[in-house]
Amino acid sequence: MSEVLVLVEHVEGQVKKVTLELLTLARKLGAPSAVWAGPGYSAEAKAKLAEYGAEKIYVADSADIADYVVAPKAELLAQLVSTASPAAVLVAATAEAKEIAGRLAIKIDSGVLTDAVGIGEDLVADQSIFGGGVNVRSRVTKGTPIIAVRPNATPVEAAAGAGAEEQVSVAVSDTAKTAKVVDRVKEEKGARPELTEAAIVVSGGRGVGSAENFSIIEKLADSLGAAVGASRAATDAGWYPHQFQVGQTGKTVSPQLYIAAGISGAIQHRAGMQTAKTIVAINKDPEAPIFELADYGVVGDLNQVVPQLTDEIAKRK
Amino acid sequence: MNIVVCVKQVPDTATERKLRSDDKTLDRDAADGVVNELDEYAVEEALRLKEAHGGEVTVLTMGPDKASDTIRKALAMGADKAVHLVDDALHGSDALGTSHALAQTLKKIGFDLVVLGSESTDARTGVLAAMLAERLNVPQLTFANKVEVNGSAIAIQRVTDYGYDKVEASLPAVVSVVEKINEPRYPSFKGIMAAKKKPVEKLGVADAEIDAAQVGLASSWSEVTDFAAAPPRAAGTIVKDEGDGGAKAADFLASKKFI
Ligand SMILES: Cc1cc2nc3c(=O)[nH]c(=O)nc-3n(C[C@H](O)[C@H](O)[C@H](O)COP(=O)(O)OP(=O)(O)OC[C@H]3O[C@@H](n4cnc5c(N)ncnc54)[C@H](O)[C@@H]3O)c2cc1C
Ligand SMILES: Cc1cc2nc3c(=O)[nH]c(=O)nc-3n(C[C@H](O)[C@H](O)[C@H](O)COP(=O)(O)OP(=O)(O)OC[C@H]3O[C@@H](n4cnc5c(N)ncnc54)[C@H](O)[C@@H]3O)c2cc1C
């Protein structure tokens, strides 16, 4: 059975959930081989990847790989494609992994599909385009298919794989070392789940009114074990940090539940949350476009509705 | 500094966007064409860099005849001239084909800095800037919320999941921008009038030394096999808060097993 390369997403040594989704998907398509790029690999990571089906784990954990923008990771994958001749390469549809996929596509002369929400055994990908208005099936017709899959779009199931580890040495070329990362600036994240990975997201918009008042959004999120998101109006106003922006130019999220409070539902916001399974909206304007998407909507003042909802959730636990 | 801004014409997101039933490509006639939103930020950043460091801003657009409206808008904002890559042979190009066509054109016209949006609103692949850096063999400085040029040195802040990375390189380079970077100017009346006289050079596949075997629908590396309108979302339940809106929302969440 051919290998299927899965580029591992990791943060501080932890494997992200989307990687487990990709491994689960890869098992249908061949023998999953996880590819670890950059520092932070550990026995714990290895165990996790094997638990979800990695037959092989390629480890390229030299610092060079992460110290330059995107290009070294594309070189690593290109090298593995030439040695392993995989049936496909899967990456998460995150901003950076899509860029890696794009450069890889040129290096190995293969087609790339972005933002897949599913992949069939025949390697035909499902994509949801135009803000969820049209469902497309597409496939790569030349080379080794490279597919970027949206986080939270496909299920996770454990099924042990051999997890055979293979160290890979990559000599990162000089041309891949032209854009150097000289500093990484971490902004406050807190203990909440990561936005793109969370099963539940609670977002606040301009209607929240102030940075201080975002605490009512955070309390609701904490009562549900959810991540907090924000509209652009809220991040531009400085009420919530930029990396929590949901939308076309922020994060794309596909949680099980998305709660939007004080968000009108502009097309650019919808582009980032339209594929949520269940949508709840709280807005004082009955004409707000967000209600067109909502499975459940409350027309009212979020300052009343949100704290009451938080209390009710606490009571019913 | 010779700055080229890549500007894409996209269907207005406020209108209904469709694929064509015949060749399954974007139906560009069905909706009004507008400048891809993020490309206005790219034009603005190019203009600011020119204002600070001198030089010239050239708009580069690949698209059908009607994309000339988009080019005029970018010129009205203040860009100096434009190159319009227009040829029926380009229709249906995928990301690999588009990046080949744009890279060839960029080699032909020359550049110190190429500025793009980080994503289009129609195809949303977000790969073009990375692909251009790969094809042109220059540094990739993408997802920038800040750009600084100092002589031949260039530094950006690259937006990441955790905050941002500071990235350094030297020119020539490819930059893509996010919307936090600036606030695009509106074209002034004077700008709109001046744009009418600014030079727009039209190039075809042969003029730009584009390999015809790498562009167009038939040469694409991927294909749409079929498509259908998504089933409409079932209409939701909307209630008015009568002092019990939070409790009712909790009932709904409980019925869906979220609590
Ligand atoms: C290039 C570009 C990229 C963009 N990218 C994004 C993006 O990634 N994400 C994004 O979100 N936006 C994005 N936008 C902006 C988008 O167009 C909207 O401006 C933005 O989403 C509006 O945010 P909002 O819904 O919070 O604010 P508004 O549209 O002002 O809506 C506020 C809502 O709150 C309601 N409200 C007010 N007070 C209360 C109250 N007390 N109780 C209940 N409801 C209340 C109001 O009725 C209103 O519906 C982008 C725009 C551009 C041009
Ligand atoms: C709904 C849809 C889905 C698609 N999915 C795929 C896919 O999965 N894989 C694939 O290979 N192709 C795909 N395509 C084809 C894709 O539209 C073209 O390859 C396109 O030219 C580049 O993709 P983009 O707009 O997503 O670029 P992005 O990388 O999202 O755009 C970034 C920037 O590139 C610049 N740019 C992009 N196009 C042009 C242009 N024509 N002229 C000047 N500057 C430009 C702009 O500055 C823009 O802001 C898809 C097309 C559609 C309509």
Side-chain angles (χ1 to χ4, degrees), chain A residues 96 99 103 107 109 133 135 137-139 141-142 180 182-183 185 187 235-236 245 249 268 277 295 297 299 308 316, chain B residues 37 134 140 142-143 158 162 164 166 168 179-180 219 221 223 225-228 230 233 237 239 241 243 246-247 251:
Chain A
E96 171 152 323
E99 295 194 324
R103 296 189 72 137
K107 287 182 190 295
D109 194 25
N135 293 331
R137 283 158 45 82
S138 51
R139 65 184 190 102
T141 49
K142 284 193 229 172
K180 186 167 173 48
V182 293
D183 194 13
V185 181
E187 284 167 352
T235 61
D236 275 1
Q245 181 171 315
T249 46
Q268 297 91 345
K277 308 283 177 306
D295 298 289
V299 179
Q308 187 179 69
R316 297 178 196 201
Chain B
E37 273 172 350
E134 175 76 27
Q140 174 188 332
T142 47
F143 289 90
R158 170 175 168 84
Y162 46 80
Y164 61 87
K166 287 190 180 159
E168 293 178 357
E179 92 291 354
K180 303 287 181 210
S219 308
W221 282 254
E223 69 174 14
T225 57
D226 52 272
F227 70 89
R233 258 191 120 95
T237 310
V239 300
D241 180 31
D251 290 342

Short mmCIF file of all heavy atoms in Angstrom, two decimals, chain A residues 96 99 103 107 109 133 135 137-139 141-142 180 182-183 185 187 235-236 245 249 268 277 295 297 299 308 316, chain B residues 37 134 140 142-143 158 162 164 166 168 179-180 219 221 223 225-228 230 233 237 239 241 243 246-247 251:
data_model
loop_
_atom_site.label_atom_id
_atom_site.label_comp_id
_atom_site.label_asym_id
_atom_site.label_seq_id
_atom_site.Cartn_x
_atom_site.Cartn_y
_atom_site.Cartn_z
N GLU A 96 -0.13 28.89 6.81
CA GLU A 96 1.23 28.49 6.52
C GLU A 96 1.30 27.16 5.76
O GLU A 96 2.07 27.01 4.81
CB GLU A 96 2.06 28.40 7.80
CG GLU A 96 3.42 27.78 7.52
CD GLU A 96 4.52 28.21 8.46
OE1 GLU A 96 4.54 29.39 8.86
OE2 GLU A 96 5.35 27.36 8.80
N GLU A 99 0.67 27.51 2.19
CA GLU A 99 1.83 28.06 1.47
C GLU A 99 2.88 26.98 1.21
O GLU A 99 3.49 26.94 0.14
CB GLU A 99 2.45 29.21 2.27
CG GLU A 99 1.52 30.39 2.40
CD GLU A 99 2.25 31.65 2.90
OE1 GLU A 99 3.16 31.53 3.73
OE2 GLU A 99 1.88 32.73 2.45
N ARG A 103 4.24 25.81 -2.56
CA ARG A 103 5.63 25.72 -3.04
C ARG A 103 5.99 24.29 -3.41
O ARG A 103 6.70 24.04 -4.39
CB ARG A 103 6.59 26.26 -1.98
CG ARG A 103 6.36 27.74 -1.71
CD ARG A 103 7.44 28.33 -0.83
NE ARG A 103 8.69 28.47 -1.57
CZ ARG A 103 9.48 29.54 -1.51
NH1 ARG A 103 9.16 30.57 -0.76
NH2 ARG A 103 10.59 29.58 -2.20
N LYS A 107 7.56 22.51 -6.89
CA LYS A 107 8.77 21.67 -6.85
C LYS A 107 8.55 20.29 -7.45
O LYS A 107 9.42 19.76 -8.12
CB LYS A 107 9.25 21.50 -5.41
CG LYS A 107 9.89 22.74 -4.81
CD LYS A 107 10.37 22.43 -3.39
CE LYS A 107 10.79 23.67 -2.65
NZ LYS A 107 11.98 24.31 -3.26
N ASP A 109 5.90 19.44 -9.38
CA ASP A 109 5.07 19.54 -10.58
C ASP A 109 3.74 18.79 -10.41
O ASP A 109 3.39 17.93 -11.21
CB ASP A 109 5.85 18.99 -11.79
CG ASP A 109 5.18 19.38 -13.10
OD1 ASP A 109 4.47 20.41 -13.13
OD2 ASP A 109 5.36 18.64 -14.10
N GLY A 133 -21.88 28.51 -0.35
CA GLY A 133 -23.02 28.48 -1.27
C GLY A 133 -22.98 27.36 -2.29
O GLY A 133 -24.01 26.92 -2.79
N ASN A 135 -21.10 23.51 -3.41
CA ASN A 135 -20.23 22.37 -3.08
C ASN A 135 -19.59 21.86 -4.36
O ASN A 135 -20.28 21.61 -5.35
CB ASN A 135 -21.04 21.25 -2.44
CG ASN A 135 -21.57 21.66 -1.08
OD1 ASN A 135 -20.97 22.47 -0.40
ND2 ASN A 135 -22.71 21.11 -0.70
N ARG A 137 -16.68 19.16 -6.21
CA ARG A 137 -15.77 18.02 -6.10
C ARG A 137 -14.67 18.23 -7.11
O ARG A 137 -14.93 18.58 -8.26
CB ARG A 137 -16.53 16.72 -6.37
CG ARG A 137 -17.39 16.29 -5.15
CD ARG A 137 -18.52 15.37 -5.52
NE ARG A 137 -18.10 14.32 -6.42
CZ ARG A 137 -17.49 13.18 -6.04
NH1 ARG A 137 -17.26 12.95 -4.78
NH2 ARG A 137 -17.14 12.28 -6.94
N SER A 138 -13.44 18.05 -6.67
CA SER A 138 -12.34 18.32 -7.59
C SER A 138 -11.23 17.33 -7.36
O SER A 138 -11.16 16.69 -6.31
CB SER A 138 -11.84 19.75 -7.39
OG SER A 138 -11.58 19.97 -6.04
N ARG A 139 -10.38 17.21 -8.37
CA ARG A 139 -9.27 16.26 -8.20
C ARG A 139 -8.02 16.77 -8.92
O ARG A 139 -8.11 17.59 -9.84
CB ARG A 139 -9.66 14.88 -8.71
CG ARG A 139 -9.93 14.84 -10.17
CD ARG A 139 -10.42 13.45 -10.60
NE ARG A 139 -10.42 13.44 -12.06
CZ ARG A 139 -9.48 12.86 -12.80
NH1 ARG A 139 -8.51 12.18 -12.26
NH2 ARG A 139 -9.53 12.93 -14.12
N THR A 141 -5.04 16.28 -11.40
CA THR A 141 -4.91 15.48 -12.62
C THR A 141 -3.46 15.24 -13.03
O THR A 141 -3.19 14.47 -13.93
CB THR A 141 -5.65 16.18 -13.78
OG1 THR A 141 -5.24 17.55 -13.81
CG2 THR A 141 -7.15 16.11 -13.59
N LYS A 142 -2.53 15.97 -12.39
CA LYS A 142 -1.12 15.76 -12.73
C LYS A 142 -0.29 15.62 -11.46
O LYS A 142 -0.46 16.41 -10.53
CB LYS A 142 -0.57 16.98 -13.50
CG LYS A 142 -1.00 17.07 -14.94
CD LYS A 142 -0.14 18.12 -15.64
CE LYS A 142 -0.98 19.09 -16.43
NZ LYS A 142 -0.24 20.22 -16.96
N LYS A 180 14.48 35.15 6.79
CA LYS A 180 14.85 34.61 8.10
C LYS A 180 13.93 35.12 9.20
O LYS A 180 13.67 36.31 9.31
CB LYS A 180 16.30 35.01 8.42
CG LYS A 180 16.81 34.37 9.70
CD LYS A 180 18.33 34.53 9.81
CE LYS A 180 18.88 34.07 11.15
NZ LYS A 180 18.43 32.77 11.62
N VAL A 182 13.61 36.24 12.64
CA VAL A 182 14.58 36.71 13.64
C VAL A 182 13.97 36.80 15.03
O VAL A 182 14.69 36.89 16.03
CB VAL A 182 15.20 38.08 13.24
CG1 VAL A 182 16.05 37.92 11.99
CG2 VAL A 182 14.12 39.14 13.01
N ASP A 183 12.65 36.77 15.10
CA ASP A 183 12.02 36.82 16.42
C ASP A 183 10.60 36.27 16.31
O ASP A 183 9.94 36.45 15.29
CB ASP A 183 11.96 38.29 16.90
CG ASP A 183 11.65 38.40 18.38
OD1 ASP A 183 11.71 37.36 19.10
OD2 ASP A 183 11.33 39.52 18.84
N VAL A 185 7.08 36.56 18.26
CA VAL A 185 6.41 37.33 19.31
C VAL A 185 5.10 36.63 19.66
O VAL A 185 4.20 36.51 18.82
CB VAL A 185 6.18 38.78 18.85
CG1 VAL A 185 5.50 39.58 19.96
CG2 VAL A 185 7.51 39.43 18.47
N GLU A 187 1.68 36.42 21.60
CA GLU A 187 0.70 37.25 22.30
C GLU A 187 -0.08 36.35 23.24
O GLU A 187 -0.19 35.15 23.03
CB GLU A 187 -0.17 37.99 21.28
CG GLU A 187 0.63 39.15 20.68
CD GLU A 187 0.02 39.78 19.44
OE1 GLU A 187 -0.96 39.24 18.90
OE2 GLU A 187 0.56 40.81 19.00
N THR A 235 -11.68 43.41 16.92
CA THR A 235 -10.21 43.38 16.97
C THR A 235 -9.64 44.74 16.55
O THR A 235 -8.68 45.22 17.14
CB THR A 235 -9.60 42.27 16.09
OG1 THR A 235 -9.96 42.48 14.73
CG2 THR A 235 -10.05 40.89 16.52
N ASP A 236 -10.26 45.37 15.55
CA ASP A 236 -9.78 46.70 15.13
C ASP A 236 -9.90 47.72 16.25
O ASP A 236 -9.08 48.62 16.38
CB ASP A 236 -10.57 47.20 13.91
CG ASP A 236 -9.99 46.67 12.60
OD1 ASP A 236 -9.00 45.91 12.66
OD2 ASP A 236 -10.53 47.02 11.54
N GLN A 245 -9.36 36.94 15.52
CA GLN A 245 -10.35 37.36 14.53
C GLN A 245 -10.83 36.17 13.69
O GLN A 245 -10.04 35.40 13.18
CB GLN A 245 -9.74 38.42 13.60
CG GLN A 245 -10.72 38.92 12.56
CD GLN A 245 -10.14 40.11 11.81
OE1 GLN A 245 -9.56 41.02 12.42
NE2 GLN A 245 -10.26 40.09 10.51
N THR A 249 -10.26 37.28 6.57
CA THR A 249 -8.85 37.59 6.77
C THR A 249 -8.41 37.22 8.18
O THR A 249 -7.33 37.61 8.61
CB THR A 249 -8.57 39.07 6.49
OG1 THR A 249 -9.57 39.84 7.12
CG2 THR A 249 -8.59 39.34 5.01
N GLN A 268 -17.67 39.03 5.12
CA GLN A 268 -16.29 38.67 5.45
C GLN A 268 -16.23 37.90 6.76
O GLN A 268 -15.31 37.11 6.97
CB GLN A 268 -15.40 39.92 5.58
CG GLN A 268 -15.26 40.72 4.30
CD GLN A 268 -16.30 41.80 4.17
OE1 GLN A 268 -17.31 41.81 4.88
NE2 GLN A 268 -16.07 42.73 3.26
N LYS A 277 -21.30 23.65 12.36
CA LYS A 277 -22.45 22.74 12.27
C LYS A 277 -23.71 23.41 12.81
O LYS A 277 -24.76 23.35 12.19
CB LYS A 277 -22.20 21.45 13.05
CG LYS A 277 -20.90 20.74 12.71
CD LYS A 277 -20.98 19.97 11.40
CE LYS A 277 -19.64 19.33 11.03
NZ LYS A 277 -18.48 20.25 10.98
N ASP A 295 -29.19 28.72 13.47
CA ASP A 295 -30.12 27.64 13.80
C ASP A 295 -31.01 28.09 14.95
O ASP A 295 -32.14 27.65 15.08
CB ASP A 295 -29.35 26.39 14.21
CG ASP A 295 -28.49 25.88 13.07
OD1 ASP A 295 -29.06 25.36 12.11
OD2 ASP A 295 -27.26 26.06 13.13
N GLY A 297 -31.75 31.82 17.21
CA GLY A 297 -31.38 33.22 17.38
C GLY A 297 -32.18 33.85 18.50
O GLY A 297 -33.36 33.53 18.70
N VAL A 299 -33.24 37.61 19.70
CA VAL A 299 -33.23 39.05 19.45
C VAL A 299 -33.28 39.73 20.80
O VAL A 299 -34.29 39.65 21.51
CB VAL A 299 -34.44 39.47 18.59
CG1 VAL A 299 -34.41 40.98 18.35
CG2 VAL A 299 -34.45 38.71 17.27
N GLN A 308 -27.20 35.53 31.33
CA GLN A 308 -28.25 34.58 31.72
C GLN A 308 -27.95 33.19 31.16
O GLN A 308 -28.11 32.18 31.86
CB GLN A 308 -29.62 35.08 31.21
CG GLN A 308 -30.77 34.24 31.73
CD GLN A 308 -32.10 34.76 31.22
OE1 GLN A 308 -32.41 34.66 30.04
NE2 GLN A 308 -32.90 35.32 32.12
N ARG A 316 -27.26 23.87 34.93
CA ARG A 316 -27.66 22.58 34.36
C ARG A 316 -26.52 21.57 34.29
O ARG A 316 -26.71 20.46 33.80
CB ARG A 316 -28.22 22.79 32.95
CG ARG A 316 -29.48 23.63 32.98
CD ARG A 316 -29.98 23.87 31.59
NE ARG A 316 -30.95 24.97 31.59
CZ ARG A 316 -31.83 25.17 30.64
NH1 ARG A 316 -31.89 24.33 29.63
NH2 ARG A 316 -32.66 26.18 30.70
N GLU B 37 -10.63 42.68 -2.36
CA GLU B 37 -10.50 43.62 -1.23
C GLU B 37 -9.06 43.78 -0.74
O GLU B 37 -8.58 44.89 -0.54
CB GLU B 37 -11.34 43.14 -0.06
CG GLU B 37 -12.77 43.61 -0.15
CD GLU B 37 -13.65 42.97 0.91
OE1 GLU B 37 -13.21 42.02 1.59
OE2 GLU B 37 -14.80 43.42 1.03
N GLU B 134 8.55 31.13 -4.91
CA GLU B 134 9.21 29.89 -5.35
C GLU B 134 9.66 30.02 -6.81
O GLU B 134 10.80 29.71 -7.14
CB GLU B 134 8.22 28.73 -5.19
CG GLU B 134 8.69 27.38 -5.71
CD GLU B 134 9.72 26.70 -4.80
OE1 GLU B 134 9.71 26.97 -3.59
OE2 GLU B 134 10.53 25.91 -5.32
N GLN B 140 10.28 35.02 0.47
CA GLN B 140 8.84 35.04 0.67
C GLN B 140 8.52 35.76 1.98
O GLN B 140 8.84 35.27 3.06
CB GLN B 140 8.31 33.60 0.73
CG GLN B 140 6.84 33.52 1.10
CD GLN B 140 6.36 32.12 1.34
OE1 GLN B 140 6.89 31.15 0.79
NE2 GLN B 140 5.35 31.98 2.19
N THR B 142 5.35 36.85 3.55
CA THR B 142 3.89 36.82 3.35
C THR B 142 3.13 37.03 4.66
O THR B 142 3.68 36.88 5.74
CB THR B 142 3.49 35.50 2.70
OG1 THR B 142 4.14 34.43 3.38
CG2 THR B 142 3.89 35.47 1.25
N PHE B 143 1.85 37.34 4.53
CA PHE B 143 0.96 37.63 5.66
C PHE B 143 1.52 38.76 6.53
O PHE B 143 1.57 38.65 7.75
CB PHE B 143 0.68 36.36 6.48
CG PHE B 143 -0.21 35.41 5.74
CD1 PHE B 143 0.30 34.43 4.91
CD2 PHE B 143 -1.59 35.54 5.83
CE1 PHE B 143 -0.52 33.59 4.18
CE2 PHE B 143 -2.43 34.69 5.11
CZ PHE B 143 -1.89 33.72 4.29
N ARG B 158 5.16 38.96 10.21
CA ARG B 158 4.32 37.92 9.61
C ARG B 158 3.32 37.43 10.65
O ARG B 158 3.72 36.90 11.70
CB ARG B 158 5.22 36.78 9.14
CG ARG B 158 4.50 35.52 8.70
CD ARG B 158 5.54 34.52 8.15
NE ARG B 158 5.00 33.19 7.95
CZ ARG B 158 4.33 32.81 6.85
NH1 ARG B 158 4.09 33.67 5.89
NH2 ARG B 158 3.88 31.57 6.73
N TYR B 162 0.12 32.48 16.91
CA TYR B 162 0.40 32.89 18.29
C TYR B 162 0.66 34.37 18.42
O TYR B 162 0.83 34.89 19.52
CB TYR B 162 1.59 32.09 18.85
CG TYR B 162 2.76 31.99 17.90
CD1 TYR B 162 3.68 33.03 17.76
CD2 TYR B 162 2.93 30.85 17.11
CE1 TYR B 162 4.73 32.95 16.87
CE2 TYR B 162 3.98 30.76 16.22
CZ TYR B 162 4.87 31.80 16.10
OH TYR B 162 5.91 31.72 15.21
N TYR B 164 3.02 37.14 16.05
CA TYR B 164 3.68 37.38 14.77
C TYR B 164 5.16 37.03 14.84
O TYR B 164 5.75 36.96 15.92
CB TYR B 164 3.50 38.83 14.31
CG TYR B 164 4.08 39.87 15.25
CD1 TYR B 164 5.41 40.28 15.14
CD2 TYR B 164 3.30 40.46 16.25
CE1 TYR B 164 5.94 41.23 16.00
CE2 TYR B 164 3.82 41.41 17.12
CZ TYR B 164 5.15 41.79 16.99
OH TYR B 164 5.67 42.72 17.84
N LYS B 166 8.93 38.19 13.37
CA LYS B 166 9.68 39.22 12.65
C LYS B 166 10.55 38.52 11.63
O LYS B 166 11.29 37.60 11.98
CB LYS B 166 10.56 40.01 13.62
CG LYS B 166 9.78 40.94 14.50
CD LYS B 166 10.71 41.86 15.26
CE LYS B 166 9.88 42.79 16.13
NZ LYS B 166 10.67 43.37 17.23
N GLU B 168 13.26 38.93 8.24
CA GLU B 168 14.15 39.84 7.52
C GLU B 168 14.67 39.20 6.23
O GLU B 168 14.87 37.99 6.18
CB GLU B 168 15.35 40.20 8.41
CG GLU B 168 14.95 41.04 9.60
CD GLU B 168 16.12 41.36 10.52
OE1 GLU B 168 17.26 40.89 10.27
OE2 GLU B 168 15.88 42.07 11.50
N GLU B 179 -5.19 42.69 6.14
CA GLU B 179 -5.91 43.97 6.13
C GLU B 179 -5.55 44.87 7.31
O GLU B 179 -5.88 46.05 7.30
CB GLU B 179 -7.42 43.75 6.01
CG GLU B 179 -8.20 43.65 7.30
CD GLU B 179 -7.92 42.41 8.12
OE1 GLU B 179 -7.20 41.52 7.65
OE2 GLU B 179 -8.43 42.34 9.25
N LYS B 180 -4.80 44.32 8.31
CA LYS B 180 -4.42 45.16 9.44
C LYS B 180 -3.31 46.15 9.06
O LYS B 180 -2.94 47.00 9.86
CB LYS B 180 -3.88 44.32 10.59
CG LYS B 180 -4.82 43.27 11.10
CD LYS B 180 -5.96 43.85 11.90
CE LYS B 180 -6.85 42.72 12.41
NZ LYS B 180 -8.24 43.13 12.56
N SER B 219 -4.62 22.67 -19.50
CA SER B 219 -3.29 22.35 -18.96
C SER B 219 -3.25 22.35 -17.45
O SER B 219 -2.20 22.14 -16.86
CB SER B 219 -2.26 23.37 -19.47
OG SER B 219 -2.33 23.48 -20.85
N TRP B 221 -3.43 21.55 -13.48
CA TRP B 221 -2.98 20.39 -12.72
C TRP B 221 -4.14 19.78 -11.92
O TRP B 221 -3.99 18.79 -11.24
CB TRP B 221 -1.87 20.80 -11.76
CG TRP B 221 -0.52 20.97 -12.38
CD1 TRP B 221 0.53 20.10 -12.26
CD2 TRP B 221 -0.04 22.05 -13.18
NE1 TRP B 221 1.62 20.60 -12.94
CE2 TRP B 221 1.31 21.78 -13.51
CE3 TRP B 221 -0.62 23.23 -13.67
CZ2 TRP B 221 2.08 22.65 -14.29
CZ3 TRP B 221 0.14 24.09 -14.44
CH2 TRP B 221 1.47 23.80 -14.75
N GLU B 223 -8.78 19.58 -11.66
CA GLU B 223 -10.04 19.87 -12.35
C GLU B 223 -11.22 19.73 -11.39
O GLU B 223 -11.16 18.95 -10.43
CB GLU B 223 -10.23 18.93 -13.54
CG GLU B 223 -10.48 17.49 -13.13
CD GLU B 223 -10.82 16.57 -14.29
OE1 GLU B 223 -10.61 16.96 -15.45
OE2 GLU B 223 -11.30 15.45 -14.03
N THR B 225 -14.62 18.19 -10.91
CA THR B 225 -15.34 17.09 -11.55
C THR B 225 -16.84 17.38 -11.59
O THR B 225 -17.50 17.12 -12.57
CB THR B 225 -15.08 15.73 -10.87
OG1 THR B 225 -15.44 15.84 -9.50
CG2 THR B 225 -13.61 15.35 -10.98
N ASP B 226 -17.38 17.90 -10.51
CA ASP B 226 -18.78 18.32 -10.53
C ASP B 226 -19.05 19.27 -9.38
O ASP B 226 -18.24 19.41 -8.46
CB ASP B 226 -19.74 17.13 -10.49
CG ASP B 226 -19.44 16.18 -9.35
OD1 ASP B 226 -18.61 15.26 -9.55
OD2 ASP B 226 -19.99 16.36 -8.26
N PHE B 227 -20.19 19.94 -9.46
CA PHE B 227 -20.53 20.90 -8.41
C PHE B 227 -22.04 21.05 -8.31
O PHE B 227 -22.75 20.71 -9.25
CB PHE B 227 -19.88 22.26 -8.66
CG PHE B 227 -20.46 23.01 -9.83
CD1 PHE B 227 -21.54 23.87 -9.66
CD2 PHE B 227 -19.93 22.85 -11.11
CE1 PHE B 227 -22.08 24.55 -10.75
CE2 PHE B 227 -20.46 23.52 -12.20
CZ PHE B 227 -21.54 24.37 -12.02
N ALA B 228 -22.50 21.52 -7.18
CA ALA B 228 -23.93 21.74 -6.99
C ALA B 228 -24.12 22.82 -5.95
O ALA B 228 -23.28 23.00 -5.06
CB ALA B 228 -24.58 20.44 -6.50
N ALA B 230 -25.16 24.36 -2.65
CA ALA B 230 -25.31 23.73 -1.34
C ALA B 230 -26.79 23.79 -0.95
O ALA B 230 -27.46 24.78 -1.22
CB ALA B 230 -24.46 24.45 -0.32
N ARG B 233 -29.53 26.27 4.16
CA ARG B 233 -29.60 25.96 5.59
C ARG B 233 -31.05 26.01 6.01
O ARG B 233 -31.76 26.93 5.63
CB ARG B 233 -28.84 27.04 6.36
CG ARG B 233 -27.45 26.63 6.82
CD ARG B 233 -26.88 27.65 7.79
NE ARG B 233 -26.59 27.00 9.07
CZ ARG B 233 -25.40 26.52 9.40
NH1 ARG B 233 -24.40 26.58 8.55
NH2 ARG B 233 -25.20 25.98 10.59
N THR B 237 -34.79 28.91 14.36
CA THR B 237 -35.82 29.45 15.24
C THR B 237 -35.29 30.76 15.80
O THR B 237 -34.19 30.79 16.35
CB THR B 237 -36.04 28.48 16.43
OG1 THR B 237 -36.23 27.18 15.90
CG2 THR B 237 -37.21 28.91 17.30
N VAL B 239 -36.14 33.81 18.42
CA VAL B 239 -37.06 34.25 19.48
C VAL B 239 -36.67 35.65 19.94
O VAL B 239 -35.52 36.06 19.82
CB VAL B 239 -37.03 33.29 20.71
CG1 VAL B 239 -37.44 31.88 20.31
CG2 VAL B 239 -35.65 33.28 21.37
N ASP B 241 -36.13 38.19 23.00
CA ASP B 241 -35.85 38.10 24.44
C ASP B 241 -36.96 38.80 25.22
O ASP B 241 -37.22 39.97 25.02
CB ASP B 241 -34.50 38.76 24.74
CG ASP B 241 -34.17 38.70 26.23
OD1 ASP B 241 -34.60 37.73 26.89
OD2 ASP B 241 -33.48 39.62 26.72
N GLY B 243 -36.88 38.59 28.58
CA GLY B 243 -36.33 38.38 29.91
C GLY B 243 -35.89 36.95 30.14
O GLY B 243 -35.29 36.63 31.16
N GLY B 246 -31.84 34.09 27.49
CA GLY B 246 -30.67 33.26 27.83
C GLY B 246 -31.10 31.85 28.20
O GLY B 246 -30.49 30.87 27.77
N ALA B 247 -32.18 31.75 28.96
CA ALA B 247 -32.68 30.44 29.38
C ALA B 247 -33.16 29.65 28.17
O ALA B 247 -32.92 28.44 28.04
CB ALA B 247 -33.80 30.60 30.40
N ASP B 251 -31.97 26.09 26.66
CA ASP B 251 -32.83 24.95 26.29
C ASP B 251 -32.41 24.40 24.94
O ASP B 251 -32.32 23.19 24.74
CB ASP B 251 -34.31 25.38 26.19
CG ASP B 251 -34.91 25.72 27.55
OD1 ASP B 251 -34.32 25.29 28.58
OD2 ASP B 251 -35.95 26.40 27.58
#
